[in-house]
Amino acid sequence: MTLPPDRLRTALTGISGILVTPMAADDRIDPARLAPIIVRATAAGVDALTVNGNTGEFYGLAFAEAERMQAEVPALVGGRAAVVAGVGRSLGEACALARRARTDGVDAVMVHQPPDPFVAPRGVVAYVAKIAEAAGLPVVLYLRNDGIGLPAIEALTRIPGVVGVKWATPNLMVLAQAIRRAGPGVSFICGLAEPWAPPMTALGAQGFTSGLINLLPERSVAILAALRAGDFARANAEIAAIQGFEALRAEEQNGANVAVVKAALALSGIDVGAARPPAAWPLPPGSAAALRDLLAGWGLLRRDAAE
């Protein structure tokens, strides 16, 4: 059963945790390995969990793997948080995932922005409209390139079913204009994780996406609490405390983003396997050592990894 619209909207204005996709030693996906991550995230108060997001290596998954993740993760969450499923790539694949989302127990779909080099602004609008119609569920837009222009962004927010926009571009002035154009019926979410949440919150966004929740959901929840209280100094101090982790994820042109999360989970005692190419894997020795030191300082390094 999907969440009522008001509860989903509330969840989307909180933390949207982007789950990793666990891999077994033979490189097959193993969704059950998410269980301890989900338990900790929901106990900490993470509002929504996204399967098949970028931290979930969506573009590195075969279609059947994305189907399986969407089918199995809602049961693992068990109603303790809203479940959002990322859909995208070809229109046929995106619609196929969207059509089965409700049956799988998903509360909303998140449409990845098409990376096609010849994408047209009006083509993106048509793409999202067809997926929204196929889903029959609330739709969240994942906007990583605001180059499509404000008219197209506004048109996207007018598509029936669109309830939110994960804004994943650092162009803050365009964000401010997009929020005004969309109106109060559409929630804007910081899609660049914790470090960008304060400035986007100041402009009217609510909540943020997070890959950190796979490892330290309590830190993300503390940042959200500070932002909701209007205590930007405390929020920035909490963000500064995770800066070393985020800096490691930004290495290799952000190619270490998922790899650092997966390596950190393994060092803390939760094995979710490797990150697939083209992600950076394994971490280079210097980065691996820095990550180990960071986790030791946080008290998360399992005993045998510290030896």
Side-chain angles (χ1 to χ4, degrees):
M1 181 180 294
T2 56
L3 287 178
D6 57 335
R7 286 186 59 194
L8 176 64
R9 188 173 296 277
T10 298
L12 292 176
T13 60
I15 298 169
S16 294
I18 318 300
L19 295 167
V20 296
T21 295
M23 308 287 183
D26 60 1
D27 194 44
R28 295 186 184 184
I29 66 168
D30 190 358
R33 294 191 189 196
L34 281 175
I37 295 172
I38 290 170
V39 167
R40 184 170 183 178
T42 55
V46 173
D47 307 273
L49 293 170
T50 299
V51 59
N52 293 337
N54 280 344
T55 305
E57 301 176 79
F58 178 65
Y59 289 97
L61 300 179
F63 178 71
E65 292 175 322
E67 276 190 311
R68 184 180 169 198
M69 288 298 295
Q70 179 178 294
E72 294 189 23
V73 169
L76 293 172
V77 176
R80 290 170 289 181
V83 178
V84 180
V87 303
R89 298 191 290 215
S90 75
L91 180 60
E93 290 172 306
C95 286
L97 285 172
R99 274 191 292 270
R100 60 172 293 170
R102 185 185 294 273
T103 301
D104 287 335
V106 169
D107 298 299
V109 297
M110 179 189 75
V111 183
H112 287 270
Q113 189 170 10
D116 192 310
F118 301 118
V119 65
R122 62 191 176 97
V124 175
V125 176
Y127 177 82
V128 173
K130 289 182 181 295
I131 295 169
E133 182 180 6
L137 283 172
V139 172
V140 177
L141 308 173
Y142 187 15
L143 192 74
R144 295 183 58 84
N145 177 6
D146 57 34
I148 60 175
L150 278 166
I153 293 170
E154 181 178 354
L156 285 167
T157 65
R158 304 291 183 222
I159 293 171
V162 171
V163 299
V165 179
K166 289 188 178 179
W167 190 270
T169 162
N171 195 334
L172 297 180
M173 292 303 97
V174 176
L175 167 62
Q177 295 176 71
I179 290 173
R180 287 195 294 271
R181 285 191 179 217
V186 177
S187 299
F188 278 73
I189 304 137
C190 169
L192 291 176
E194 289 86 351
W196 280 90
M200 291 196 188
T201 299
L203 288 172
Q206 298 180 75
F208 51 85
T209 58
S210 175
L212 179 67
I213 64 93
N214 290 279
L215 182 72
L216 267 178
E218 300 86 357
R219 293 288 181 97
S220 301
V221 171
I223 292 166
L224 178 66
L227 290 172
R228 284 178 166 170
D231 191 344
F232 283 83
R234 180 159 60 96
N236 285 324
E238 293 282 356
I239 291 167
I242 64 168
Q243 187 54 45
F245 186 75
E246 294 302 318
L248 287 171
R249 294 178 70 195
E251 290 182 350
E252 300 191 59
Q253 298 184 343
N254 286 321
N257 193 298
V258 179
V260 166
V261 175
K262 285 191 162 184
L265 284 165
L267 289 169
S268 72
I270 302 175
D271 181 10
V272 292
R276 284 179 174 169
W281 189 268
L283 297 182
S287 299
L291 181 61
R292 232 179 348 259
D293 290 344
L294 189 62
L295 294 186
W298 287 346
L300 291 177
L301 192 64
R302 73 176 193 272
R303 183 172 300 176
D304 63 323
E307 296 173 350

